[in-house]
Amino acid sequence: MHKEFLMGNAAIALGAIAAGLNLTSGYPGTPSTEVLETVAKHRPDQTYVEWSVNEKAALEVAAGAAYAGARTMVTMKQVGLNVASDPLMSLEYIGVKGGMVIMVADDPGPISSQTEQDTRHFAAFSKLPCFDPTSVQEAYDMIQDAFEISEKFGTPVFFRPTTRICHAYASIDVKDESEYKTNAPEGFIKDSRRWVIFPRLSNANHRKIEARNVELSDVFSEYERNELLFEKDAGANATGVSHAAEQSANELPAETTGTAENAGASGFSPVVEATGNTASICPKRGIAAGGIGYALMREVLKGKDAPRTLKIATPHPFPEKLAVRFLEGLDEVLCIEELDPVIERELTYIAGKYHLPVRILGKLTHDTENAGENSIDLVEGYIRKFLEWDKKDRANDSVSQAVPSQDGTQSTIKKGAADSQNGASDKSDDTSAPNRFPAPPALPIRPPVLCAGCPHRASFYAVKRAMQGKKTIFCGDIGCYTLGNAMPLDMCDTCLCMGAGINIAQGVKHIEPDTSAFAFVGDSTFFASAITGIVNAVYNQSEMTVVILDNSTTAMTGHQPHPGTGRTMMGDVVAKINIEKVLRGIGLKFVETVDPLDLTKAIKTVKHAVAEPGVKAIIFKSPCVAIVKPNAPLTIDQAKCIKCKRCIREIGCPGIVITDGNVQIDDSLCTGCTLCSQICPTGAIGGGLNE
Amino acid sequence: MNKNIILCGVGGQGTVLASKLIAASAMEKGMKVMSAETIGMAQRGGNVFSNIRISDEDEMYAPMIGTGQADIILGFEPGETVRMLPFLKKDGYVITNLRAVKPTTATLLGSTYGGSEMIGYLKSVIPEDHLLIVDGTKAIAELGNPRCLNVVLLGAAVRTGALGLTEADILEAMPKVIKPKFLELNTSAFKYAG
């Protein structure tokens, strides 16, 4: 063991290597990307790594290797799992031989995603076990457990970190190389009754899966990372399996029934508790949390009188017996989790199943936010209200005047929620440490923009100029070029998911035949999921222009290679797959490759393409500015500049600024692409590629 | 000891190296370190931040810092420094670069943002002995490399004493984080005192 300062994603990768990883595949996507990159960087000789063409391919490659006994990991972001869901839902029934971890990073916020979907649902939907780490250290340790469970139960398992685990860094304990496991795959053993999915096999295996998940729920109730903490008031039930958990819901133990009756219509049972000299009515409270929400909760409870707490590390199968032990004797439970109320629903279900008189509070009851990320401030606000810290603080201030609260039988946190619904103010009044500063001057707004010199800017501008005054639809896609929607370009009318723009454009065109339909797609997205859309367009006699923005990399996620770059993650230089030839192979007659930084030629090509019938393609080819050496920056001849600001109004490049009333080039940003010099009416801009 | 540090700026200004240096020095002293930062779309010219937490106590759970909990804010851009100010503790220190980075949208909309109003605001709300304004533009001109702004600011931050780390601590950690050929430049940037 030694200490290292690691990013969560690196910790996951090194943990997987320590567990004897033989193969990893994936498709880039924030916040998951660095997992596979770290494996590639620290790859032991026996480990194979690839960026697959998309998540479906990646999951199938990993499954095949696991059929042959390899320990495999497939990595993707949450929306990537939608692409991989077809093999996933069938693989559930087939299972694996070697350990297989499906590493899917969720993105609460969302910070860099289209959706706030919760992979814990996908785990339940596909009936697969799911591991949900609460810290970087736990991510490192837990991925190793995930491989063990996967192999032991012959099933792929989910590993689901969120952004604040993936992209957090921490000094953690990691194994020395001598402590690593190695796994020698046995190889694929032919057995069509095991590996070929047929209705009969699916039916038989469905039964086995349901039984296995009941067993796994018990295993997870004893799993050390699912924890019951601060059990000082849990009494006889603190250890071992409780009465209620042993009995089925139909044979309810007498004492539990009694409590349930006491609870009456309010569903809430007041418990008389002695506090010092004053006896007051005070409900017994507990907190359940998972993921980064757990870490935030521990941070908030530090140095405080903490209530009974349940940590959920395996949201599926849910550790039911442990949950019953947690719930017994409690009156109110607050759930702290991000994305969907998974823990909250499970606890509500278990409370009903075992007739436990406990109120489960969280997103469903509007006691916590049902969208967006958790922060220290938010979690502190939730806990402060739930545990009535303000009231206790006040009581401590004036002990002699302690009076039982009028609303002692009401949930305090509920009251708080009602306050804010009445428009009291925003959520900031929930926090214990409000901003103590006066309002500052107007802060600059910084929406993300295409980089200075980005060739996409030139491509969008060429199409915009060529189509000025015409009826058009510009369908965008996923990548840096989604930023083409920003003013002043305003060249992205739709964006849905990877590859969708090609087909959306066809749909619009069918209903509005007089519009010129365009679909913009990047080179990596082209290979990942645009090709089928183009085949669809050609087959169904659509009329549209496909614009391939080929910057020779997967830029948005940090410059990963793809089939068009001629490099693999194993470090090999291989034949590039030629986009133009692919398009011609599909049957496109008009395919032109042009440098978007040559504005006149680019505009001419667009006009030419639009005049042709059927499906046409323009490949705007120019490398991403982040992967090539910049040209000399441009300069503006102030004597020639008439301050018309056309360069600023038309293309919105961050490299052009106004300083002291003069239009100037920020030479720390300018890459010398010359686009601005090509639109300057007085020829005041020189330098860069021109020299 | 328990220190919460916020680094903030505009995408591409290089807050990562500064956080790695703080982390390496703190670990050398046997402390626990956690950090969180912006990665992804926001890096394309958006506002970015890093939270760094160092502690020699066992109990540290989350990498994020709450309102009013930062011991120090290290701002690479005055508007971004002001944006993060609610996180500052009472008696916390603010170190900020003087030069504003104008967003593209400001130029388009004809906004007057220039940074001086932010510096004025900081002077009005932070006591003089807890506010350090660094002329980063002058520093990088004298040092001859725009990429060492981060280490110039880090040097200024360490010298306030608010980080709980000494100049020697950081200098010792430098060779572990910085490539040999950039070591000399970064050492002078770190020691640069205007």
Side-chain angles (χ1 to χ4, degrees):
Chain A
M1 282 286 183
H2 64 281
K3 287 245 183 237
E4 270 189 60
F5 186 58
L6 290 176
M7 184 196 267
N9 279 342
I12 293 166
L14 295 180
I17 290 174
L21 185 71
N22 299 108
L23 175 144
T24 188
S25 49
Y27 187 76
T30 312
S32 72
T33 312
E34 298 84 359
V35 176
L36 191 140
E37 288 181 326
T38 307
V39 174
K41 204 169 151 192
H42 297 273
R43 179 176 65 81
D45 289 342
Q46 75 278 7
T47 308
Y48 171 82
V49 189
E50 72 168 45
W51 280 129
S52 307
V53 71
N54 62 26
E55 293 86 354
K56 172 173 152 68
L59 191 134
E60 290 158 352
V61 167
Y67 285 4
R71 282 199 163 186
T72 72
M73 174 167 68
V74 56
T75 74
M76 64 194 74
K77 69 183 295 178
Q78 88 283 33
V79 284
L81 184 59
N82 302 335
V83 177
S85 61
D86 194 5
L88 169 76
M89 297 306 292
S90 295
L91 186 64
E92 159 200 347
Y93 289 85
I94 294 294
V96 289
K97 187 163 76 178
M100 174 171 170
V101 175
I102 305 169
M103 203 301 303
V104 182
D106 280 355
D107 184 21
I111 301 173
S112 334
S113 306
Q114 307 99 289
T115 72
E116 268 204 297
Q117 68 189 65
D118 192 322
T119 296
R120 295 176 298 171
H121 286 313
F122 244 123
F125 183 37
S126 62
K127 306 183 198 295
L128 298 181
C130 181
F131 292 83
D132 188 9
T134 64
S135 69
V136 174
Q137 178 76 62
E138 189 165 66
Y140 179 81
D141 298 331
M142 201 192 255
I143 187 109
Q144 301 176 57
D145 301 340
F147 277 103
E148 294 300 324
I149 290 285
S150 168
E151 215 157 82
K152 188 170 170 199
F153 289 87
T155 178
V157 301
F158 275 104
F159 188 82
R160 184 212 71 136
T162 56
T163 307
R164 297 297 176 205
I165 303 290
C166 292
H167 285 167
Y169 280 81
S171 51
I172 64 163
D173 293 317
V174 297
K175 287 180 174 170
D176 300 325
E177 273 184 44
S178 58
E179 298 169 89
Y180 286 6
K181 265 197 179 150
T182 50
N183 178 50
E186 181 193 30
F188 181 75
I189 311 287
K190 289 193 183 200
D191 180 358
S192 63
R193 283 167 309 173
R194 178 170 180 187
W195 301 116
V196 180
I197 196 161
F198 267 114
R200 240 181 89 176
L201 178 79
S202 300
N203 183 286
N205 283 358
H206 188 180
R207 290 164 205 279
K208 287 182 196 161
I209 290 163
E210 298 298 345
R212 178 202 70 204
N213 281 353
V214 171
E215 185 191 346
L216 267 171
S217 171
D218 290 350
V219 169
F220 285 160
S221 278
E222 302 300 320
Y223 180 43
E224 57 178 5
R225 299 188 197 286
N226 288 318
E227 253 184 293
L228 214 49
L229 297 99
F230 313 123
E231 277 188 280
K232 56 186 184 297
D233 59 348
N237 291 328
T239 53
V241 177
S242 70
H243 287 301
E246 281 173 343
Q247 313 248 352
S248 84
N250 297 334
E251 318 165 73
L252 209 63
E255 63 269 32
T256 314
T257 316
T259 328
E261 278 166 3
N262 287 345
S266 73
F268 169 85
S269 77
V271 175
V272 178
E273 223 185 36
T275 9
N277 299 329
T278 342
S280 65
I281 293 171
C282 175
K284 283 212 169 141
R285 299 192 170 106
I287 302 179
I292 194 71
Y294 171 82
L296 294 169
M297 175 201 71
R298 290 298 303 270
E299 202 65 58
V300 169
L301 291 177
K302 210 157 71 178
K304 298 275 206 297
D305 187 16
R308 195 193 302 177
T309 293
L310 177 67
K311 173 186 173 222
I312 293 296
T314 58
H316 189 263
F318 203 76
E320 189 168 307
K321 285 181 179 163
L322 182 73
V324 170
R325 241 150 68 201
F326 165 70
L327 291 176
E328 272 185 331
L330 292 181
D331 302 306
E332 287 186 347
V333 169
L334 173 68
C335 299
I336 296 175
E337 58 191 318
E338 284 175 324
L339 303 172
D340 289 334
V342 170
I343 295 173
E344 186 185 351
R345 276 186 195 280
E346 288 284 359
L347 291 181
T348 306
Y349 159 75
I350 290 167
K353 181 174 172 183
Y354 294 93
H355 294 243
L356 298 171
V358 50
R359 290 164 53 96
I360 312 294
L361 308 176
K363 293 165 185 277
L364 295 170
T365 55
H366 307 290
D367 288 302
T368 62
E369 297 280 333
N370 50 23
E373 256 200 297
N374 275 331
S375 66
I376 285 270
D377 292 343
L378 269 180
V379 171
E380 161 134 36
Y382 298 149
I383 294 178
R384 173 167 290 273
K385 254 184 195 161
F386 180 62
L387 298 181
E388 300 180 87
W389 282 351
D390 288 334
K391 203 153 124 191
K392 279 172 191 158
D393 288 350
R394 279 199 301 275
N396 288 344
D397 289 346
S398 50
V399 178
S400 57
Q401 293 178 9
V403 176
S405 129
Q406 289 180 336
D407 59 308
T409 54
Q410 288 292 316
S411 153
T412 43
I413 194 161
K414 200 68 197 167
K415 184 168 72 88
D419 282 348
S420 59
Q421 273 162 17
N422 292 340
S425 93
D426 61 13
K427 66 197 173 197
S428 64
D429 69 355
D430 288 354
T431 64
S432 60
N435 182 11
R436 64 193 161 88
F437 293 102
L443 290 165
I445 302 159
R446 302 186 193 276
V449 289
L450 293 171
C451 301
C454 174
H456 297 335
R457 177 178 291 103
S459 304
F460 284 126
Y461 185 66
V463 177
K464 188 175 186 170
R465 283 276 296 274
M467 300 310 291
Q468 213 143 35
K470 302 215 169 66
K471 189 174 178 188
T472 52
I473 175 141
F474 301 124
C475 296
D477 221 292
I478 306 289
C480 286
Y481 51 97
T482 315
L483 299 175
N485 78 320
M487 297 305 279
L489 289 172
D490 189 20
M491 283 295 289
C492 183
D493 296 329
T494 72
C495 179
L496 188 66
C497 67
M498 290 283 286
I502 311 264
N503 298 308
I504 301 263
Q506 295 166 46
V508 171
K509 178 78 180 173
H510 286 309
I511 301 305
E512 280 185 41
D514 60 335
T515 202
S516 275
F518 285 80
F520 294 86
V521 66
D523 43 345
S524 187
T525 308
F526 172 81
F527 289 110
S529 51
I531 298 173
T532 28
I534 298 170
V535 172
N536 190 66
V538 171
Y539 165 55
N540 287 304
Q541 306 297 299
S542 279
E543 188 162 316
M544 68 179 296
T545 307
V546 178
V547 180
I548 316 271
L549 303 168
D550 182 357
N551 60 0
S552 302
T553 189
T554 317
M556 179 57 97
T557 47
H559 306 100
Q560 290 74 28
H562 62 65
T565 63
R567 284 177 296 118
T568 72
M569 283 310 267
M570 294 297 281
D572 299 325
V573 175
V574 298
K576 296 178 186 178
I577 297 177
N578 184 306
I579 296 175
E580 191 170 325
K581 282 185 182 163
V582 171
L583 292 168
R584 290 198 186 282
I586 292 171
L588 272 68
K589 299 281 185 293
F590 183 99
V591 184
E592 289 267 321
T593 300
V594 59
D595 179 358
L597 298 175
D598 182 345
L599 185 62
T600 312
K601 200 172 165 198
I603 293 173
K604 217 174 106 192
T605 310
V606 176
K607 286 183 171 164
H608 188 182
V610 172
E612 295 290 319
V615 183
K616 296 88 58 168
I618 301 165
I619 303 169
F620 281 126
K621 197 169 171 62
S622 183
C624 172
V625 288
I627 58 169
V628 289
K629 215 172 164 259
N631 301 300
L634 303 183
T635 48
I636 297 180
D637 182 344
Q638 296 299 336
K640 284 194 198 164
C641 176
I642 55 169
K643 299 186 177 54
C644 67
K645 295 176 192 164
R646 187 171 177 197
C647 51
I648 293 173
R649 281 183 290 111
E650 297 261 305
I651 58 174
C653 175
I656 308 174
V657 292
I658 298 177
T659 312
D660 306 326
N662 291 327
V663 181
Q664 291 188 332
I665 304 278
D666 181 339
D667 57 14
S668 70
L669 293 176
C670 179
T671 66
C673 81
T674 75
L675 179 65
C676 57
S677 71
Q678 294 174 61
I679 62 168
C680 177
T682 64
I685 310 177
L689 275 176
N690 299 335
E691 285 178 355
Chain B
M1 189 180 81
N2 220 324
K3 296 283 179 190
N4 294 334
I5 305 142
I6 289 179
L7 274 70
C8 55
V10 177
Q13 283 191 314
T15 54
V16 177
L17 178 68
S19 50
K20 281 196 171 157
L21 282 170
I22 294 170
S25 318
M27 280 176 70
E28 197 63 30
K29 297 174 76 116
M31 299 176 81
K32 275 177 84 170
V33 186
M34 285 188 172
S35 79
E37 60 203 35
T38 328
I39 292 176
M41 193 183 251
Q43 286 175 301
R44 304 278 183 277
N47 40 296
V48 298
F49 70 89
S50 291
N51 286 349
I52 308 165
R53 310 189 61 210
I54 59 179
S55 174
D56 53 12
E57 293 156 21
D58 276 342
E59 287 208 272
M60 178 163 72
Y61 299 98
M64 286 101 88
I65 298 168
T67 301
Q69 291 179 9
D71 294 276
I72 192 160
I73 292 176
L74 192 50
F76 288 54
E77 202 278 344
E80 296 315 311
T81 309
V82 171
R83 200 190 302 277
M84 287 292 136
L85 212 53
F87 289 93
L88 193 69
K89 240 182 206 168
K90 275 194 177 123
D91 305 325
Y93 283 80
V94 175
I95 290 104
T96 187
N97 185 20
L98 182 62
R99 188 187 175 185
V101 177
K102 289 189 192 182
T104 314
T105 47
T107 311
L108 273 173
L109 301 170
S111 141
T112 54
Y113 173 69
S116 57
E117 70 278 29
M118 298 298 162
I119 298 291
Y121 172 78
L122 287 171
K123 284 181 174 165
S124 72
V125 297
I126 305 293
E128 206 179 330
D129 56 347
H130 281 63
L131 175 66
L132 195 60
I133 297 158
V134 179
D135 188 347
T137 314
K138 181 169 158 255
I140 57 180
E142 286 175 23
L143 291 160
N145 191 322
R147 295 197 181 275
C148 57
L149 173 67
N150 46 11
V151 181
V152 171
L153 290 167
L154 178 63
V158 168
R159 286 187 287 275
T160 63
L163 277 181
L165 297 167
T166 64
E167 280 192 287
D169 291 335
I170 301 280
L171 288 170
E172 211 181 298
M174 272 199 181
K176 296 186 190 93
V177 179
I178 294 167
K179 285 183 186 149
K181 68 170 173 175
F182 297 118
L183 204 53
E184 201 187 313
L185 170 73
N186 280 290
T187 306
S188 14
F190 182 71
K191 289 180 176 164
Y192 180 87

